[in-house]
């Protein structure tokens, strides 16, 4: 299939769309509107998932089940994990920032398939509402976000089916988005823009989209088979009917371990855009960063069974997946050292975006170290299904993505709104989030090493103090959202004007007005050959006869 080149600029908008705030509630085809729809919708579900986390930590403040019933606890636990992964992190780091930034980075007016792009977003709100409504219709799913059989076959069928339908819709949305990103990055680049000139976020989204398109259909097929076991009493995964529950684990983790990289690879790309700007240095090791992303994509598809070392995995398979998991630490480590080298001797601006990015590096490295430990079979067998795994997972997923989401909000908010956020409130937000996060999850490593199992509402009283400390940390994390929300609202209403490029950045989204016009630029898109050319030529920009628009010349 041949995809046409980007349309030539038109003096009039090509599409009549609602204007003002109404456009964010419409079936808009503007990639910037869709990107912000993803981000705002994701934050709404983040608050839902955070409230569910508050229920979990309140219950675990005491060793007995005295806040909610055991069934309710299982339902809340299942909804929390599903909401946070499929309705918060994946949509925001992929659909949100991806939709907003990728057309700028490739010099396009929009995504390759604008209508498919809008459809992909509008599948998310009803999917989320369907998932949450399952709590009120026949009982929500109680089998965790992994939905392992036979547990998922014995819990209330209606709630589990609604969970499956919701995840299938969300998976379809991800596939539509992945196809769109691949087409846009590979086929909609402006003339003269070579692949190795692209900002790093483009490479991160290209790798992520490849994983989405390859792995998500496997999850979809698996959940369809699981639904047949529930509704039609087939025997795909039901041991009572001759099925094999371990096969479900293989199929589930073939998607769900790459899903970790579907969450963190875009975060890697976003951090790689933020650090050079606020360190005023080129991104160190651009070529090695590109190849490390592609290496993570390849290796990410062959490490799934390290989640199954206690599932009767044969020794040869344990050895293979231990080695493969250890190897994937190499390209991840390359990124870490490249980020540190980018910061080294830079002119660091210690603003909220930079501080959140540095907090991400610190916590993701710690999560990576515990991940290498979990890849070793003897250690994994000891701590499997304990709170050590919970702590590791949150250091990777929350520490490795949510901190980047906040860093990205502080960095690109001036572009979204034309106004600056308050830095004092931003630093308060960081302090509360950082302290609360580490207070909540660092002690859980000790709980796991000493045998506290996860996904249970009751535990040995000897673990009470550590759980109470963890719950206090969760409370601080909840409180940390208040200065963030106050900051956003106040800045939207009366924040100082940002101007087109308050950070003096070189990537293309900053070479137009803030907020940008409907088709991104008035006139031809600038060709940025060195998006990280700080400290030398300040990047070579071909304005391409900018047709009377001089926004790029107004940069401070």
């Amino acid at each position: 299939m041949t995809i046409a080149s980007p349309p030539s600029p038109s003096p009039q908008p090509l599409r009549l769309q609602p204007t003002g705030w109404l456009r964010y509630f419409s079936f808009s085809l503007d990639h910037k509107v869709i990107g912000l729809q993803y981000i705002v919708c994701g934050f709404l579900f983040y608050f839902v998932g955070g409230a569910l986390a508050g229920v979990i930590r309140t219950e675990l403040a005491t060793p007995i089940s005295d806040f909610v019933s055991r069934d309710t606890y299982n339902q809340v636990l299942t909804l929390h994990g599903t909401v946070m992964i499929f309705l918060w992190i994946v949509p925001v780091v992929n659909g949100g920032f991806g939709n907003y930034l990728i057309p700028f980075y490739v010099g396009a007016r929009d995504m390759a398939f604008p209508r498919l792009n809008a459809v992909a977003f509008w599948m998310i709100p009803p999917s989320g509402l369907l998932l949450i409504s399952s709590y009120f219709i026949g009982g929500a799913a109680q089998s965790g976000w992994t939905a392992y059989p036979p547990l998922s076959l014995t819990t209330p069928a209606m709630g589990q089916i609604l969970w499956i339908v919701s995840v299938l819709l969300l998976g379809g949305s991800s596939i539509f988005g992945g196809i769109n990103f691949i087409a846009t990055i590979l086929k909609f680049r402006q003339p003269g823009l070579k692949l190795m000139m692209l900002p790093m976020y483009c490479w991160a989204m290209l790798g992520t989209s490849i994983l989405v398109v390859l792995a998500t259909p496997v999850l979809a097929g698996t959940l369809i088979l699981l639904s047949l076991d529930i509704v039609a009493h087939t025997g795909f995964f039901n041991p009572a009917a001759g099925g094999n529950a371990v096969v479900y684990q293989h199929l589930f983790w073939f998607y769900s371990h790459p899903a970790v990289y579907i969450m963190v690879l875009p975060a890697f790309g976003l951090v790689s855009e933020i650090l050079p700007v606020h360190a005023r240095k080129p991104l160190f090791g651009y070529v090695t960063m590109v190849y490390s992303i592609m290496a993570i994509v390849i290796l990410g598809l062959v490490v799934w069974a390290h989640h199954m070392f206690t599932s009767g995995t044969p020794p040869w398979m344990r050895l293979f997946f231990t080695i493969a998991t250890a190897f994937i630490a190499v390209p991840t480590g390359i990124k870490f050292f490249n980020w540190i080298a980018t910061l080294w001797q830079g002119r660091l601006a210690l603003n909220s975006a930079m501080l959140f990015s540095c907090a991400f590096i610190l916590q993701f490295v710690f999560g990576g170290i515990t991940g290498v430990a979990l890849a070793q079979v003897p250690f994994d067998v000891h701590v499997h299904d304990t709170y050590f795994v919970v702590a590791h997972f949150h250091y990777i997923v929350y520490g490795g993505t949510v901190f980047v989401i906040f860093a990205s909000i502080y960095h690109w908010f001036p572009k979204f709104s034309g106004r600056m956020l308050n830095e004092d409130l931003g630093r308060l937000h960081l302090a509360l989030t950082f302290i609360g996060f580490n207070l909540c999850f660092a002690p859980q490593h000790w709980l796991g090493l000493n045998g506290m199992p996860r996904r249970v509402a009751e535990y040995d009283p000897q673990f009470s103090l550590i759980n109470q400390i963890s719950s206090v940390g969760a409370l601080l994390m909840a409180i940390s959202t208040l200065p963030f929300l106050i900051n956003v609202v106040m800045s939207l209403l009366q924040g100082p004007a940002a101007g087109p490029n308050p950070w003096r950045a070189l990537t293309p989204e900053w070479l137009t007005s803030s907020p940008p016009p409907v088709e991104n630029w008035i006139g031809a898109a600038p060709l940025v050959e060195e998006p990280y050319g700080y400290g030398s030529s300040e990047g070579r920009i071909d304005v391409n006869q900018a047709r009377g628009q001089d926004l790029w010349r107004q940069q401070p």
Side-chain angles (χ1 to χ4, degrees):
M1 179 177 65
T2 301
I3 300 175
S5 299
S8 59
S10 170
Q12 298 295 329
L14 296 179
R15 299 178 293 267
L16 293 177
Q17 296 287 326
T19 58
W21 60 271
L22 287 174
R23 68 186 185 274
Y24 296 104
F25 295 89
S26 70
F27 191 81
S28 176
L29 302 184
D30 185 343
H31 72 95
K32 300 179 292 300
V33 172
I34 295 173
L36 291 176
Q37 287 174 329
Y38 268 106
I39 292 172
V40 173
C41 181
F43 266 98
L44 293 176
F45 283 115
Y46 171 59
F47 299 140
V48 173
L52 295 170
V55 173
I56 293 170
R57 288 313 319 172
T58 302
E59 174 59 66
L60 293 174
T62 59
I64 60 174
S65 181
D66 56 358
F67 183 66
V68 294
S69 68
R70 296 175 183 178
D71 285 347
T72 300
Y73 180 85
N74 291 336
Q75 293 169 354
V76 168
L77 192 71
T78 301
L79 288 176
H80 165 72
T82 309
V83 166
M84 288 302 210
I85 292 171
F86 294 110
L87 290 165
W88 157 236
I89 296 176
V90 172
V92 172
V93 296
N94 287 271
F97 291 102
N99 270 292
Y100 199 97
L101 296 175
I102 292 300
F104 282 109
Y105 286 170
V106 301
R109 303 291 174 181
D110 210 320
M111 296 289 287
F113 307 113
R115 286 178 176 80
L116 184 66
N117 200 23
V119 169
F121 166 72
W122 284 106
M123 293 173 69
I124 292 177
S127 302
L129 294 175
L130 180 66
L131 177 68
I132 295 169
S133 69
S134 68
Y135 182 84
F136 306 99
I137 304 173
Q142 300 181 31
S143 54
W145 76 275
T146 57
Y148 275 3
L151 181 58
S152 55
L153 303 176
T154 58
T155 54
M158 178 61 75
Q160 194 66 58
I161 290 297
L162 290 175
W163 182 91
I164 290 172
V165 173
S166 175
V167 174
L168 286 174
L169 290 172
L170 293 167
S173 170
S174 293
I175 293 172
F176 292 162
I179 293 170
N180 218 345
F181 285 124
I182 292 171
T184 304
I185 293 169
L186 295 183
K187 292 296 185 178
F188 257 48
R189 298 194 313 278
Q190 66 184 115
L193 184 62
K194 300 177 181 178
L195 281 172
M196 297 306 286
M197 295 179 183
L198 291 173
M200 193 54 58
Y201 185 59
C202 289
W203 285 102
M205 284 304 301
L206 181 61
T208 300
S209 300
I210 292 170
L211 284 175
V212 167
V213 172
L214 291 178
T216 308
V218 177
L219 175 67
T222 305
L223 293 181
I224 290 171
L225 296 180
L226 179 63
S227 66
L228 291 175
D229 277 5
I230 295 171
V231 175
H233 306 293
T234 54
F236 295 106
F237 309 123
N238 187 356
N244 192 329
V246 175
V247 172
Y248 174 90
Q249 294 185 30
H250 278 288
L251 294 171
F252 177 85
W253 287 114
F254 183 81
Y255 163 80
S256 293
H257 193 82
V260 174
Y261 303 110
I262 290 169
M263 290 184 275
V264 301
L265 276 180
F268 290 172
L270 291 168
V271 164
S272 299
E273 303 302 330
I274 295 170
L275 294 181
V277 175
H278 299 288
R280 308 311 298 172
K281 279 186 63 183
L283 180 66
F284 185 88
Y286 177 94
V287 175
T288 59
M289 293 282 272
V290 170
Y291 285 118
S292 66
I293 286 174
M294 294 300 111
I296 288 173
V297 171
I298 295 169
L299 291 172
L301 292 168
V302 294
V303 297
W304 75 87
H306 67 223
H307 294 272
M308 302 169 55
F309 286 156
T310 61
S311 299
T313 308
W316 69 265
M317 189 178 290
R318 286 179 166 183
L319 178 62
F320 172 82
F321 284 100
T322 293
I323 295 171
T325 306
F327 266 116
I328 207 169
V330 175
T332 307
I334 288 171
K335 291 186 170 300
F336 166 73
F337 287 111
N338 283 2
W339 291 325
I340 297 299
T342 300
L343 295 173
W344 184 257
Q345 294 186 334
R347 294 168 57 191
L348 305 184
L350 298 180
N351 51 37
S352 301
M354 173 65 93
L355 292 173
F356 267 102
S357 298
C358 293
F360 148 78
I361 294 174
L362 179 65
Q363 287 161 163
F364 188 82
V365 167
F366 188 74
I369 292 171
T370 58
V372 173
L374 286 168
Q376 313 309 309
V377 175
F379 185 80
D380 182 83
V381 169
H382 174 66
V383 300
H384 186 77
D385 264 341
T386 70
Y387 262 81
F388 190 95
V389 179
V390 174
H392 158 74
F393 183 75
H394 282 84
Y395 267 87
I396 292 294
V397 174
Y398 195 102
T401 61
V402 177
F403 275 79
V404 177
I405 290 172
F406 286 126
S408 302
I409 293 292
Y410 285 102
H411 181 72
W412 278 288
F413 187 86
K415 179 56 55 181
F416 298 160
S417 66
R419 297 184 179 275
M420 300 295 292
L421 287 167
N422 182 282
E423 284 297 329
D424 291 334
L425 286 173
R427 293 187 183 98
L428 176 61
H429 176 208
L430 168 71
L432 291 173
T433 306
F434 185 82
I435 295 171
F437 173 79
N438 287 284
L439 194 63
C440 180
F441 293 108
Q444 293 179 9
H445 293 91
W446 183 91
L447 290 175
L449 288 171
N450 285 274
M452 179 175 169
R454 61 176 174 172
R455 298 177 179 169
V456 293
E458 299 181 351
Y459 54 86
D460 192 307
Q462 67 172 312
F463 301 129
S464 296
L465 177 61
I466 302 300
N467 271 290
Q468 289 163 2
I469 294 172
S470 186
S471 294
V472 170
L475 177 62
L476 282 178
M477 291 172 68
I479 294 172
S480 73
T481 60
L482 295 178
F484 173 73
L485 292 174
I486 293 170
N487 199 353
V488 169
V489 173
M490 289 180 57
S491 297
L492 285 174
L493 294 176
Q494 56 186 21
N501 190 356
W503 309 127
R504 296 184 296 123
L506 301 177
T507 44
E509 80 275 22
W510 297 105
L511 306 181
T512 185
S513 60
S514 299
V518 172
E519 292 191 334
N520 300 340
W521 295 277
I522 302 172
L527 177 60
V528 179
E529 297 180 356
E530 296 179 10
Y532 308 114
Y534 302 100
S536 55
S537 63
E538 288 293 303
R540 296 200 307 273
I541 303 172
D542 175 12
V543 295
N544 213 6
Q545 295 90 38
R547 296 192 180 182
Q549 65 99 0
D550 290 325
L551 288 170
W552 72 279
R553 301 181 191 277
Q554 299 172 10
Q555 310 313 312

